[in-house]
Amino acid sequence: MNWLRYLLEANLYLAIFYGCYCLFLIKETHYTLNRFYLLFSCIASLLLPLMQVGILKPAEKAVQNTVVIVPSTIHYQAAPAKIVAETSHFTVIDSIVYIYLLGFIVLLLILAFKLYQLIKLTRTNSAVNRDNYKLIYIPESNTAFSFLNYLFIGTKASGVDTIIRHELVHIRQKHSFDILLLELFKVINWFNPLVYLLQNSLKTVHEYIADEKTAAGETDAISYSTFLVNNAYGIGGTSITHSFFNYNLLKKRIIMLNQKRSGKLARLKYLIALPVCAGLLCLSTRSFSKTYVLIDLMPGKADSPLIAPPPPPKPPMKHPVMFRTPSPLGSITKKGYGYAESGYLVDGKSFFRVIIQESKNVQKEYWKNKVSPAEVKMLREKYGYTFPTMDIFPKLPPPPPQNPKITNVALPPPPKKLTKTNVAIPPPPMEPHMPLTNAFAVLDKYIAKYTRYPAVARDNKVSGSVVLQFELNADHKTTNVTLIKGIGNRCDEEAIRVLNTFNDPIDAKPGPYKVAVTFTIDGLEAPKPASEALRDDPLFIGEVVVVTYL
C-alpha cells in the first residue's frame, strides 16, 4: 500500500531532522530559530517523500519480455477452471492497517475531547476582556495556563502579574497554533515515539521563549528563577495548553535562563537544514521506487525509452486502396453514426453513394454527384462524414437496379456481373474496419518488439490490459493515439509511447481502430485477456501480451 510506504518514508525523514536538532541545536539559546526548525522538520518530512529530482532517478533496467500477439479474429474458449472455494486470508498487512486505523481514531477522539473540555471551560466561567486576550478566573484553584487568546488562572495562584506576563508571550506569539499542528501531526504518526519527543521539545522551546521575555521585565534572572521554584507545584492545564506550572521542565528552564547567550555565529548551525533537505531529496529519488511523487523539481530523461530507438521512418509509399463494399453500416463516422459506401459506373461515369444510419429504423442515402454544398456541410457537421476523393477508386461496377432516391433500405449486395470486360471483379464483403490483408500484423510486431515492461509496474506486481484507440489518416499513418482503458504504473505511458513512434503506413481503410497491450507477470495470476471483452468491437484489431518475470 502506497500510503503506508509514504508514512514510513516521512517518519524516517522526521527521525533524521530531529536527530540533527538533538546533536547540534538543542543547547543553543536562539529559541525562535529552534521553534521554526522543529516546525519546519514536521512539514518537510511530509513533503519530501512527494518530491524527487528527476535527473538523479536511476535508469530503469530493461526487463526481459515475452510477447504474444493475439489477433482480434481469433475467438477461443478457455479451458474450464477448477472450482475452488473462496477463502478469506487475513494477512500481516491487513493487521497493520487495522492497528494503524485504530490508533488514528483513538488519538483523534482524544484530541476532540481535549478541545471540547477547553471550549466548555470558556463557556462556564466568566471571561474578562483585556487587550487582545480574554482572562478567565477559575475559582478555588492555583492553576495557570493559556490556549489561543484565552488565559486561565486560578484565584489561589500567587504572583498573578508575573504569570500573566509569561502567558501573554504564548498568546502574542501564537504558540497554540504550533501545538495544534503537532497534535494533528501526532494523530497521523501516532506510532512514532519521536513525534512525542519532538512535541515536548517544541513546548520546552515555547517555555524558554516566554521565560526569556518575562525575565527581561524582572530585576534579574535569579529573582525570576526563584519565583519559578516557589511556584513549582501549581496545577497544570491539559496537554494542548501552555501551563505555567510544569515541574518536569523546571530544572531545564532555570538552567537555560542563566545560561550564556549563544553568539551570532551559532546561527549558521541552522543552515544545516539545507544540506539535510538536499540529502533527503536525493535519498528519496535514488533509493525509493514509488508512485506517489507529485513534484519533480528537475525532470530528466527518465521517461525516454531504455531501448534503442526505432530506425528512421522509410519514405512514404503510395498504397493503392482497392474499393470494397463493407457489410451494411459497418463503419462508424467521427460522430458515432453508422455508414456504408458504394461506387458505381453509369455510362462510363463513376458515381459514389453513402448510406447513413440516422436512427435505429431510419437510413438516409446521399450521392456525391447530386449533393448540394449545404448538404456536404450538413454531412460533415451533423454526421461527421466527408466524401472521399474519387481517384482512390478503380473502375467501378454498374449500379444495382434501384432508385437512388429510396431511403430506409439496406445496402444492396455487391454486383455479381460486370458491364465492362476490363473491370476487376470486386472481392466479397469484409468485416467492418478490418484490414484488407493482414496489414496490422506489422503494427503488432512493432509493439511486441519495442514495448518494455515498466520496472515500477513489475516491482508493484501490476498487470492488466491497456486499450488504445488510434486513427489511420488519408496517408494511412497512425495518428490521434488516445487512452481508452489504463492500469497506471507507467504502463499506459509506455503503450502510448510505442504506438506514437510507429510511422510506417498501414494498408487498411482510414478510420478509427483499437489495439490492446496486456502486461502480465509470469508466476502471478494472469489478467483476463482483453480480446474476450473486445471481440465484438468492430474497431478492435488485436492484442499484444507482454510477459515479464519477477
Side-chain angles (χ1 to χ4, degrees), residues 17 21 25 30-44 173-175 177-178 181-182 198 201-202 205-206 209 270 273:
F17 275 114
Y21 173 79
L25 305 176
H30 298 298
Y31 305 129
T32 301
L33 292 177
N34 282 357
R35 172 193 179 190
F36 287 119
Y37 177 87
L38 292 174
L39 293 175
F40 172 80
S41 299
C42 298
I43 297 173
Q173 296 203 8
K174 312 297 182 182
H175 290 171
F177 290 102
D178 299 358
L181 176 65
L182 262 295
L198 189 144
S201 296
L202 182 61
V205 170
H206 288 166
I209 294 173
Y270 294 90

PDB file of all heavy atoms in Angstrom, residues 17 21 25 30-44 173-175 177-178 181-182 198 201-202 205-206 209 270 273:
ATOM      1  N   PHE A  17      15.765  14.610  10.817  1.00  0.00           N
ATOM      2  CA  PHE A  17      15.680  16.028  11.189  1.00  0.00           C
ATOM      3  C   PHE A  17      15.812  16.197  12.710  1.00  0.00           C
ATOM      4  O   PHE A  17      16.549  17.064  13.186  1.00  0.00           O
ATOM      5  CB  PHE A  17      14.353  16.617  10.711  1.00  0.00           C
ATOM      6  CG  PHE A  17      14.367  17.100   9.294  1.00  0.00           C
ATOM      7  CD1 PHE A  17      13.605  16.477   8.317  1.00  0.00           C
ATOM      8  CD2 PHE A  17      15.147  18.185   8.919  1.00  0.00           C
ATOM      9  CE1 PHE A  17      13.613  16.917   7.006  1.00  0.00           C
ATOM     10  CE2 PHE A  17      15.164  18.651   7.613  1.00  0.00           C
ATOM     11  CZ  PHE A  17      14.392  18.011   6.651  1.00  0.00           C
ATOM     12  N   TYR A  21      18.650  18.031  15.250  1.00  0.00           N
ATOM     13  CA  TYR A  21      18.312  19.019  16.270  1.00  0.00           C
ATOM     14  C   TYR A  21      18.953  18.651  17.608  1.00  0.00           C
ATOM     15  O   TYR A  21      19.533  19.509  18.290  1.00  0.00           O
ATOM     16  CB  TYR A  21      16.792  19.104  16.416  1.00  0.00           C
ATOM     17  CG  TYR A  21      16.341  19.977  17.565  1.00  0.00           C
ATOM     18  CD1 TYR A  21      16.317  21.359  17.450  1.00  0.00           C
ATOM     19  CD2 TYR A  21      15.939  19.403  18.775  1.00  0.00           C
ATOM     20  CE1 TYR A  21      15.909  22.167  18.507  1.00  0.00           C
ATOM     21  CE2 TYR A  21      15.535  20.194  19.842  1.00  0.00           C
ATOM     22  CZ  TYR A  21      15.527  21.572  19.702  1.00  0.00           C
ATOM     23  OH  TYR A  21      15.136  22.368  20.758  1.00  0.00           O
ATOM     24  N   LEU A  25      21.569  21.617  17.870  1.00  0.00           N
ATOM     25  CA  LEU A  25      20.806  22.841  18.131  1.00  0.00           C
ATOM     26  C   LEU A  25      20.138  22.895  19.493  1.00  0.00           C
ATOM     27  O   LEU A  25      19.730  23.981  19.920  1.00  0.00           O
ATOM     28  CB  LEU A  25      19.714  23.010  17.052  1.00  0.00           C
ATOM     29  CG  LEU A  25      20.201  22.991  15.600  1.00  0.00           C
ATOM     30  CD1 LEU A  25      19.012  23.065  14.656  1.00  0.00           C
ATOM     31  CD2 LEU A  25      21.165  24.136  15.335  1.00  0.00           C
ATOM     32  N   HIS A  30      19.105  30.454  20.771  1.00  0.00           N
ATOM     33  CA  HIS A  30      18.297  31.118  19.733  1.00  0.00           C
ATOM     34  C   HIS A  30      16.970  30.364  19.664  1.00  0.00           C
ATOM     35  O   HIS A  30      16.718  29.568  18.759  1.00  0.00           O
ATOM     36  CB  HIS A  30      19.028  31.088  18.387  1.00  0.00           C
ATOM     37  CG  HIS A  30      20.327  31.821  18.389  1.00  0.00           C
ATOM     38  ND1 HIS A  30      20.426  33.170  18.630  1.00  0.00           N
ATOM     39  CD2 HIS A  30      21.601  31.383  18.199  1.00  0.00           C
ATOM     40  CE1 HIS A  30      21.697  33.543  18.565  1.00  0.00           C
ATOM     41  NE2 HIS A  30      22.429  32.472  18.313  1.00  0.00           N
ATOM     42  N   TYR A  31      16.132  30.657  20.647  1.00  0.00           N
ATOM     43  CA  TYR A  31      14.930  29.851  20.823  1.00  0.00           C
ATOM     44  C   TYR A  31      13.949  29.983  19.651  1.00  0.00           C
ATOM     45  O   TYR A  31      13.291  29.005  19.268  1.00  0.00           O
ATOM     46  CB  TYR A  31      14.233  30.231  22.123  1.00  0.00           C
ATOM     47  CG  TYR A  31      15.126  30.133  23.337  1.00  0.00           C
ATOM     48  CD1 TYR A  31      15.253  31.194  24.230  1.00  0.00           C
ATOM     49  CD2 TYR A  31      15.860  28.978  23.598  1.00  0.00           C
ATOM     50  CE1 TYR A  31      16.068  31.116  25.347  1.00  0.00           C
ATOM     51  CE2 TYR A  31      16.685  28.881  24.701  1.00  0.00           C
ATOM     52  CZ  TYR A  31      16.793  29.962  25.566  1.00  0.00           C
ATOM     53  OH  TYR A  31      17.613  29.876  26.660  1.00  0.00           O
ATOM     54  N   THR A  32      13.823  31.173  19.110  1.00  0.00           N
ATOM     55  CA  THR A  32      12.894  31.360  17.992  1.00  0.00           C
ATOM     56  C   THR A  32      13.317  30.529  16.785  1.00  0.00           C
ATOM     57  O   THR A  32      12.484  29.922  16.100  1.00  0.00           O
ATOM     58  CB  THR A  32      12.809  32.841  17.607  1.00  0.00           C
ATOM     59  OG1 THR A  32      12.366  33.605  18.747  1.00  0.00           O
ATOM     60  CG2 THR A  32      11.822  33.060  16.470  1.00  0.00           C
ATOM     61  N   LEU A  33      14.627  30.491  16.524  1.00  0.00           N
ATOM     62  CA  LEU A  33      15.118  29.659  15.434  1.00  0.00           C
ATOM     63  C   LEU A  33      14.884  28.174  15.719  1.00  0.00           C
ATOM     64  O   LEU A  33      14.585  27.392  14.811  1.00  0.00           O
ATOM     65  CB  LEU A  33      16.606  29.923  15.190  1.00  0.00           C
ATOM     66  CG  LEU A  33      16.963  31.304  14.633  1.00  0.00           C
ATOM     67  CD1 LEU A  33      18.461  31.461  14.513  1.00  0.00           C
ATOM     68  CD2 LEU A  33      16.296  31.535  13.283  1.00  0.00           C
ATOM     69  N   ASN A  34      15.052  27.794  16.988  1.00  0.00           N
ATOM     70  CA  ASN A  34      14.753  26.400  17.346  1.00  0.00           C
ATOM     71  C   ASN A  34      13.288  26.062  17.073  1.00  0.00           C
ATOM     72  O   ASN A  34      12.957  24.972  16.592  1.00  0.00           O
ATOM     73  CB  ASN A  34      15.063  26.158  18.817  1.00  0.00           C
ATOM     74  CG  ASN A  34      16.547  25.985  19.080  1.00  0.00           C
ATOM     75  OD1 ASN A  34      17.341  25.988  18.148  1.00  0.00           O
ATOM     76  ND2 ASN A  34      16.930  25.840  20.331  1.00  0.00           N
ATOM     77  N   ARG A  35      12.428  27.014  17.404  1.00  0.00           N
ATOM     78  CA  ARG A  35      10.992  26.793  17.187  1.00  0.00           C
ATOM     79  C   ARG A  35      10.700  26.571  15.703  1.00  0.00           C
ATOM     80  O   ARG A  35      10.017  25.599  15.332  1.00  0.00           O
ATOM     81  CB  ARG A  35      10.211  28.007  17.699  1.00  0.00           C
ATOM     82  CG  ARG A  35       8.729  27.988  17.352  1.00  0.00           C
ATOM     83  CD  ARG A  35       8.102  29.349  17.595  1.00  0.00           C
ATOM     84  NE  ARG A  35       6.692  29.358  17.249  1.00  0.00           N
ATOM     85  CZ  ARG A  35       5.940  30.461  17.181  1.00  0.00           C
ATOM     86  NH1 ARG A  35       6.488  31.650  17.456  1.00  0.00           N
ATOM     87  NH2 ARG A  35       4.668  30.385  16.842  1.00  0.00           N
ATOM     88  N   PHE A  36      11.233  27.438  14.851  1.00  0.00           N
ATOM     89  CA  PHE A  36      10.955  27.310  13.425  1.00  0.00           C
ATOM     90  C   PHE A  36      11.614  26.069  12.839  1.00  0.00           C
ATOM     91  O   PHE A  36      11.076  25.467  11.903  1.00  0.00           O
ATOM     92  CB  PHE A  36      11.407  28.566  12.683  1.00  0.00           C
ATOM     93  CG  PHE A  36      10.517  29.756  12.928  1.00  0.00           C
ATOM     94  CD1 PHE A  36      11.010  30.909  13.515  1.00  0.00           C
ATOM     95  CD2 PHE A  36       9.171  29.710  12.599  1.00  0.00           C
ATOM     96  CE1 PHE A  36      10.187  31.990  13.748  1.00  0.00           C
ATOM     97  CE2 PHE A  36       8.340  30.796  12.818  1.00  0.00           C
ATOM     98  CZ  PHE A  36       8.849  31.941  13.406  1.00  0.00           C
ATOM     99  N   TYR A  37      12.744  25.661  13.353  1.00  0.00           N
ATOM    100  CA  TYR A  37      13.388  24.448  12.846  1.00  0.00           C
ATOM    101  C   TYR A  37      12.514  23.221  13.132  1.00  0.00           C
ATOM    102  O   TYR A  37      12.345  22.354  12.270  1.00  0.00           O
ATOM    103  CB  TYR A  37      14.767  24.267  13.484  1.00  0.00           C
ATOM    104  CG  TYR A  37      15.449  22.984  13.045  1.00  0.00           C
ATOM    105  CD1 TYR A  37      16.224  22.952  11.897  1.00  0.00           C
ATOM    106  CD2 TYR A  37      15.294  21.790  13.767  1.00  0.00           C
ATOM    107  CE1 TYR A  37      16.843  21.775  11.477  1.00  0.00           C
ATOM    108  CE2 TYR A  37      15.897  20.611  13.357  1.00  0.00           C
ATOM    109  CZ  TYR A  37      16.665  20.612  12.220  1.00  0.00           C
ATOM    110  OH  TYR A  37      17.257  19.440  11.810  1.00  0.00           O
ATOM    111  N   LEU A  38      11.965  23.148  14.349  1.00  0.00           N
ATOM    112  CA  LEU A  38      11.129  21.996  14.689  1.00  0.00           C
ATOM    113  C   LEU A  38       9.855  21.965  13.848  1.00  0.00           C
ATOM    114  O   LEU A  38       9.427  20.893  13.388  1.00  0.00           O
ATOM    115  CB  LEU A  38      10.790  22.022  16.175  1.00  0.00           C
ATOM    116  CG  LEU A  38      11.971  21.787  17.125  1.00  0.00           C
ATOM    117  CD1 LEU A  38      11.538  21.995  18.576  1.00  0.00           C
ATOM    118  CD2 LEU A  38      12.549  20.391  16.937  1.00  0.00           C
ATOM    119  N   LEU A  39       9.250  23.123  13.628  1.00  0.00           N
ATOM    120  CA  LEU A  39       8.058  23.162  12.775  1.00  0.00           C
ATOM    121  C   LEU A  39       8.404  22.809  11.334  1.00  0.00           C
ATOM    122  O   LEU A  39       7.667  22.077  10.663  1.00  0.00           O
ATOM    123  CB  LEU A  39       7.421  24.557  12.838  1.00  0.00           C
ATOM    124  CG  LEU A  39       6.816  24.961  14.179  1.00  0.00           C
ATOM    125  CD1 LEU A  39       6.341  26.405  14.133  1.00  0.00           C
ATOM    126  CD2 LEU A  39       5.661  24.044  14.552  1.00  0.00           C
ATOM    127  N   PHE A  40       9.554  23.332  10.879  1.00  0.00           N
ATOM    128  CA  PHE A  40       9.993  23.026   9.520  1.00  0.00           C
ATOM    129  C   PHE A  40      10.250  21.528   9.358  1.00  0.00           C
ATOM    130  O   PHE A  40       9.968  20.945   8.308  1.00  0.00           O
ATOM    131  CB  PHE A  40      11.265  23.818   9.201  1.00  0.00           C
ATOM    132  CG  PHE A  40      11.915  23.432   7.898  1.00  0.00           C
ATOM    133  CD1 PHE A  40      11.426  23.923   6.701  1.00  0.00           C
ATOM    134  CD2 PHE A  40      13.010  22.581   7.873  1.00  0.00           C
ATOM    135  CE1 PHE A  40      12.014  23.567   5.498  1.00  0.00           C
ATOM    136  CE2 PHE A  40      13.606  22.224   6.683  1.00  0.00           C
ATOM    137  CZ  PHE A  40      13.110  22.720   5.488  1.00  0.00           C
ATOM    138  N   SER A  41      10.765  20.885  10.402  1.00  0.00           N
ATOM    139  CA  SER A  41      11.049  19.450  10.333  1.00  0.00           C
ATOM    140  C   SER A  41       9.774  18.653  10.077  1.00  0.00           C
ATOM    141  O   SER A  41       9.764  17.705   9.275  1.00  0.00           O
ATOM    142  CB  SER A  41      11.705  18.984  11.634  1.00  0.00           C
ATOM    143  OG  SER A  41      12.924  19.652  11.845  1.00  0.00           O
ATOM    144  N   CYS A  42       8.698  19.030  10.757  1.00  0.00           N
ATOM    145  CA  CYS A  42       7.432  18.312  10.566  1.00  0.00           C
ATOM    146  C   CYS A  42       6.897  18.484   9.144  1.00  0.00           C
ATOM    147  O   CYS A  42       6.479  17.507   8.502  1.00  0.00           O
ATOM    148  CB  CYS A  42       6.396  18.804  11.574  1.00  0.00           C
ATOM    149  SG  CYS A  42       6.843  18.517  13.295  1.00  0.00           S
ATOM    150  N   ILE A  43       6.927  19.728   8.659  1.00  0.00           N
ATOM    151  CA  ILE A  43       6.367  19.986   7.325  1.00  0.00           C
ATOM    152  C   ILE A  43       7.243  19.357   6.249  1.00  0.00           C
ATOM    153  O   ILE A  43       6.752  18.735   5.308  1.00  0.00           O
ATOM    154  CB  ILE A  43       6.228  21.505   7.109  1.00  0.00           C
ATOM    155  CG1 ILE A  43       5.228  22.089   8.130  1.00  0.00           C
ATOM    156  CG2 ILE A  43       5.771  21.811   5.691  1.00  0.00           C
ATOM    157  CD1 ILE A  43       5.137  23.587   8.114  1.00  0.00           C
ATOM    158  N   ALA A  44       8.572  19.508   6.385  1.00  0.00           N
ATOM    159  CA  ALA A  44       9.476  18.968   5.361  1.00  0.00           C
ATOM    160  C   ALA A  44       9.409  17.446   5.301  1.00  0.00           C
ATOM    161  O   ALA A  44       9.484  16.859   4.222  1.00  0.00           O
ATOM    162  CB  ALA A  44      10.908  19.415   5.640  1.00  0.00           C
ATOM    163  N   GLN A 173       2.669  35.300  20.570  1.00  0.00           N
ATOM    164  CA  GLN A 173       3.478  34.615  19.560  1.00  0.00           C
ATOM    165  C   GLN A 173       2.769  33.402  18.938  1.00  0.00           C
ATOM    166  O   GLN A 173       3.386  32.638  18.196  1.00  0.00           O
ATOM    167  CB  GLN A 173       4.810  34.180  20.174  1.00  0.00           C
ATOM    168  CG  GLN A 173       5.677  35.355  20.614  1.00  0.00           C
ATOM    169  CD  GLN A 173       7.143  34.996  20.690  1.00  0.00           C
ATOM    170  OE1 GLN A 173       7.569  33.917  20.283  1.00  0.00           O
ATOM    171  NE2 GLN A 173       7.947  35.913  21.211  1.00  0.00           N
ATOM    172  N   LYS A 174       1.485  33.250  19.239  1.00  0.00           N
ATOM    173  CA  LYS A 174       0.660  32.212  18.616  1.00  0.00           C
ATOM    174  C   LYS A 174       1.227  30.805  18.837  1.00  0.00           C
ATOM    175  O   LYS A 174       1.204  29.950  17.947  1.00  0.00           O
ATOM    176  CB  LYS A 174       0.506  32.477  17.107  1.00  0.00           C
ATOM    177  CG  LYS A 174       0.123  33.881  16.733  1.00  0.00           C
ATOM    178  CD  LYS A 174      -1.245  34.262  17.270  1.00  0.00           C
ATOM    179  CE  LYS A 174      -1.628  35.675  16.831  1.00  0.00           C
ATOM    180  NZ  LYS A 174      -2.933  36.093  17.389  1.00  0.00           N
ATOM    181  N   HIS A 175       1.717  30.530  20.021  1.00  0.00           N
ATOM    182  CA  HIS A 175       2.282  29.218  20.286  1.00  0.00           C
ATOM    183  C   HIS A 175       1.234  28.104  20.248  1.00  0.00           C
ATOM    184  O   HIS A 175       1.571  26.944  19.997  1.00  0.00           O
ATOM    185  CB  HIS A 175       2.978  29.216  21.659  1.00  0.00           C
ATOM    186  CG  HIS A 175       4.240  30.025  21.673  1.00  0.00           C
ATOM    187  ND1 HIS A 175       4.943  30.314  22.840  1.00  0.00           N
ATOM    188  CD2 HIS A 175       4.944  30.614  20.678  1.00  0.00           C
ATOM    189  CE1 HIS A 175       6.006  31.040  22.547  1.00  0.00           C
ATOM    190  NE2 HIS A 175       6.019  31.234  21.245  1.00  0.00           N
ATOM    191  N   PHE A 177      -1.002  27.583  18.049  1.00  0.00           N
ATOM    192  CA  PHE A 177      -1.118  27.021  16.705  1.00  0.00           C
ATOM    193  C   PHE A 177      -0.034  25.972  16.461  1.00  0.00           C
ATOM    194  O   PHE A 177      -0.259  24.982  15.759  1.00  0.00           O
ATOM    195  CB  PHE A 177      -1.039  28.130  15.664  1.00  0.00           C
ATOM    196  CG  PHE A 177      -2.243  29.031  15.653  1.00  0.00           C
ATOM    197  CD1 PHE A 177      -2.209  30.286  16.241  1.00  0.00           C
ATOM    198  CD2 PHE A 177      -3.432  28.621  15.071  1.00  0.00           C
ATOM    199  CE1 PHE A 177      -3.314  31.118  16.245  1.00  0.00           C
ATOM    200  CE2 PHE A 177      -4.549  29.439  15.057  1.00  0.00           C
ATOM    201  CZ  PHE A 177      -4.495  30.696  15.649  1.00  0.00           C
ATOM    202  N   ASP A 178       1.153  26.211  17.047  1.00  0.00           N
ATOM    203  CA  ASP A 178       2.208  25.200  16.935  1.00  0.00           C
ATOM    204  C   ASP A 178       1.775  23.890  17.594  1.00  0.00           C
ATOM    205  O   ASP A 178       1.984  22.795  17.050  1.00  0.00           O
ATOM    206  CB  ASP A 178       3.495  25.701  17.604  1.00  0.00           C
ATOM    207  CG  ASP A 178       4.036  26.959  16.955  1.00  0.00           C
ATOM    208  OD1 ASP A 178       3.432  27.432  15.963  1.00  0.00           O
ATOM    209  OD2 ASP A 178       5.062  27.483  17.438  1.00  0.00           O
ATOM    210  N   LEU A 181      -0.828  22.090  15.514  1.00  0.00           N
ATOM    211  CA  LEU A 181      -0.196  21.435  14.376  1.00  0.00           C
ATOM    212  C   LEU A 181       0.493  20.143  14.804  1.00  0.00           C
ATOM    213  O   LEU A 181       0.371  19.109  14.134  1.00  0.00           O
ATOM    214  CB  LEU A 181       0.819  22.386  13.725  1.00  0.00           C
ATOM    215  CG  LEU A 181       1.640  21.805  12.572  1.00  0.00           C
ATOM    216  CD1 LEU A 181       0.727  21.458  11.398  1.00  0.00           C
ATOM    217  CD2 LEU A 181       2.721  22.801  12.127  1.00  0.00           C
ATOM    218  N   LEU A 182       1.192  20.176  15.935  1.00  0.00           N
ATOM    219  CA  LEU A 182       1.859  18.967  16.417  1.00  0.00           C
ATOM    220  C   LEU A 182       0.858  17.908  16.871  1.00  0.00           C
ATOM    221  O   LEU A 182       1.113  16.701  16.734  1.00  0.00           O
ATOM    222  CB  LEU A 182       2.802  19.320  17.552  1.00  0.00           C
ATOM    223  CG  LEU A 182       4.277  19.499  17.184  1.00  0.00           C
ATOM    224  CD1 LEU A 182       4.882  18.185  16.683  1.00  0.00           C
ATOM    225  CD2 LEU A 182       4.447  20.565  16.110  1.00  0.00           C
ATOM    226  N   LEU A 198       9.467  15.154  19.931  1.00  0.00           N
ATOM    227  CA  LEU A 198       9.530  16.436  19.227  1.00  0.00           C
ATOM    228  C   LEU A 198       8.487  17.408  19.771  1.00  0.00           C
ATOM    229  O   LEU A 198       8.763  18.608  19.905  1.00  0.00           O
ATOM    230  CB  LEU A 198       9.318  16.192  17.733  1.00  0.00           C
ATOM    231  CG  LEU A 198       9.570  17.392  16.811  1.00  0.00           C
ATOM    232  CD1 LEU A 198      10.184  16.932  15.492  1.00  0.00           C
ATOM    233  CD2 LEU A 198       8.278  18.147  16.520  1.00  0.00           C
ATOM    234  N   SER A 201       9.821  18.792  22.946  1.00  0.00           N
ATOM    235  CA  SER A 201      10.899  19.744  22.660  1.00  0.00           C
ATOM    236  C   SER A 201      10.333  21.089  22.228  1.00  0.00           C
ATOM    237  O   SER A 201      10.831  22.153  22.628  1.00  0.00           O
ATOM    238  CB  SER A 201      11.824  19.190  21.582  1.00  0.00           C
ATOM    239  OG  SER A 201      12.476  18.022  22.009  1.00  0.00           O
ATOM    240  N   LEU A 202       9.286  21.064  21.413  1.00  0.00           N
ATOM    241  CA  LEU A 202       8.686  22.315  20.952  1.00  0.00           C
ATOM    242  C   LEU A 202       8.028  23.064  22.109  1.00  0.00           C
ATOM    243  O   LEU A 202       8.169  24.291  22.229  1.00  0.00           O
ATOM    244  CB  LEU A 202       7.660  22.027  19.856  1.00  0.00           C
ATOM    245  CG  LEU A 202       6.984  23.253  19.239  1.00  0.00           C
ATOM    246  CD1 LEU A 202       8.014  24.161  18.578  1.00  0.00           C
ATOM    247  CD2 LEU A 202       5.923  22.840  18.227  1.00  0.00           C
ATOM    248  N   VAL A 205      10.735  24.682  24.128  1.00  0.00           N
ATOM    249  CA  VAL A 205      11.219  25.900  23.471  1.00  0.00           C
ATOM    250  C   VAL A 205      10.246  27.048  23.707  1.00  0.00           C
ATOM    251  O   VAL A 205      10.655  28.198  23.936  1.00  0.00           O
ATOM    252  CB  VAL A 205      11.438  25.644  21.971  1.00  0.00           C
ATOM    253  CG1 VAL A 205      11.694  26.945  21.228  1.00  0.00           C
ATOM    254  CG2 VAL A 205      12.602  24.690  21.756  1.00  0.00           C
ATOM    255  N   HIS A 206       8.938  26.767  23.653  1.00  0.00           N
ATOM    256  CA  HIS A 206       7.938  27.799  23.949  1.00  0.00           C
ATOM    257  C   HIS A 206       8.151  28.377  25.352  1.00  0.00           C
ATOM    258  O   HIS A 206       8.068  29.603  25.554  1.00  0.00           O
ATOM    259  CB  HIS A 206       6.528  27.212  23.836  1.00  0.00           C
ATOM    260  CG  HIS A 206       6.106  26.931  22.430  1.00  0.00           C
ATOM    261  ND1 HIS A 206       5.012  26.165  22.120  1.00  0.00           N
ATOM    262  CD2 HIS A 206       6.639  27.306  21.231  1.00  0.00           C
ATOM    263  CE1 HIS A 206       4.879  26.085  20.821  1.00  0.00           C
ATOM    264  NE2 HIS A 206       5.864  26.771  20.260  1.00  0.00           N
ATOM    265  N   ILE A 209      11.173  30.661  25.458  1.00  0.00           N
ATOM    266  CA  ILE A 209      10.881  31.980  24.871  1.00  0.00           C
ATOM    267  C   ILE A 209      10.105  32.834  25.858  1.00  0.00           C
ATOM    268  O   ILE A 209      10.419  34.022  26.081  1.00  0.00           O
ATOM    269  CB  ILE A 209      10.093  31.807  23.555  1.00  0.00           C
ATOM    270  CG1 ILE A 209      10.964  31.112  22.500  1.00  0.00           C
ATOM    271  CG2 ILE A 209       9.612  33.151  23.038  1.00  0.00           C
ATOM    272  CD1 ILE A 209      10.211  30.757  21.220  1.00  0.00           C
ATOM    273  N   TYR A 270      21.957  26.603  11.927  1.00  0.00           N
ATOM    274  CA  TYR A 270      20.606  26.313  11.459  1.00  0.00           C
ATOM    275  C   TYR A 270      20.562  26.101   9.950  1.00  0.00           C
ATOM    276  O   TYR A 270      19.569  25.595   9.421  1.00  0.00           O
ATOM    277  CB  TYR A 270      19.651  27.430  11.872  1.00  0.00           C
ATOM    278  CG  TYR A 270      19.482  27.510  13.374  1.00  0.00           C
ATOM    279  CD1 TYR A 270      20.318  28.314  14.147  1.00  0.00           C
ATOM    280  CD2 TYR A 270      18.520  26.756  14.010  1.00  0.00           C
ATOM    281  CE1 TYR A 270      20.187  28.369  15.524  1.00  0.00           C
ATOM    282  CE2 TYR A 270      18.381  26.795  15.389  1.00  0.00           C
ATOM    283  CZ  TYR A 270      19.226  27.611  16.144  1.00  0.00           C
ATOM    284  OH  TYR A 270      19.094  27.655  17.502  1.00  0.00           O
ATOM    285  N   ALA A 273      19.799  22.683   7.943  1.00  0.00           N
ATOM    286  CA  ALA A 273      18.544  22.194   7.352  1.00  0.00           C
ATOM    287  C   ALA A 273      18.637  22.099   5.832  1.00  0.00           C
ATOM    288  O   ALA A 273      17.985  21.239   5.226  1.00  0.00           O
ATOM    289  CB  ALA A 273      17.397  23.121   7.746  1.00  0.00           C
TER     290      ALA A 273
END
